[in-house]
Amino acid sequence: MKVIPKKYAVPFWLVTSLLLLWGLANNMTDTLLSAFKKIMSMSDTQTTFIQFAFYGSYFCFALPAALFIKKHSYKSGVLLGLGLYAAGAILFLPAAKAASYAFYLIAIYIMA
């Protein structure tokens, strides 16, 4: 078993923690659906569209992300992914002010 050189230890743990955080966010989407449904009196169709927006984003952006990484680098891909995640998360603030279901779906789509 090889040991990671010390100069790669910090980047390794940062990327590993990012994957952990992305996984937690992915898992929270499914957990929050029942709470959304109960608190906001959402229909099954509306909660289905939340999941469709979240997982549909992965489907739509998988090939463009791969092309972006191939053209630039994986580091640029990770930074772009973090930037889009942050932009989507920030869009939840105006979506809450507007109280618009469609705006929430767009924010979730961008965040994913």
Side-chain angles (χ1 to χ4, degrees):
M1 178 179 208
K2 287 187 175 181
V3 177
I4 299 171
K6 288 190 183 227
K7 69 178 183 176
Y8 296 124
V10 172
F12 174 79
W13 289 112
L14 286 174
V15 171
T16 303
S17 64
L18 283 176
L19 293 174
L20 172 74
L21 293 172
W22 275 326
L24 286 172
N26 188 3
N27 192 30
M28 284 175 35
T29 301
D30 293 334
T31 307
L32 291 174
L33 285 178
S34 63
F36 287 158
K37 188 174 180 180
K38 191 183 294 183
I39 293 169
M40 294 186 264
S41 302
M42 297 173 77
S43 68
D44 287 335
T45 306
Q46 288 176 315
T47 56
T48 301
F49 279 131
I50 292 172
Q51 284 189 315
F52 185 76
F54 190 81
Y55 293 110
S57 177
Y58 286 106
F59 177 78
C60 292
F61 288 111
L63 290 178
L67 294 173
F68 180 85
I69 290 170
K70 186 176 180 179
K71 184 176 180 181
H72 299 285
S73 71
Y74 78 92
K75 291 178 188 177
S76 298
V78 169
L79 291 174
L80 178 64
L82 286 172
L84 287 172
Y85 193 91
I90 289 170
L91 282 175
F92 277 99
L93 294 173
K97 284 262 193 215
S100 169
Y101 175 72
F103 203 166
Y104 278 116
L105 289 179
I106 291 168
I108 289 170
Y109 186 79
I110 292 170
M111 186 181 73

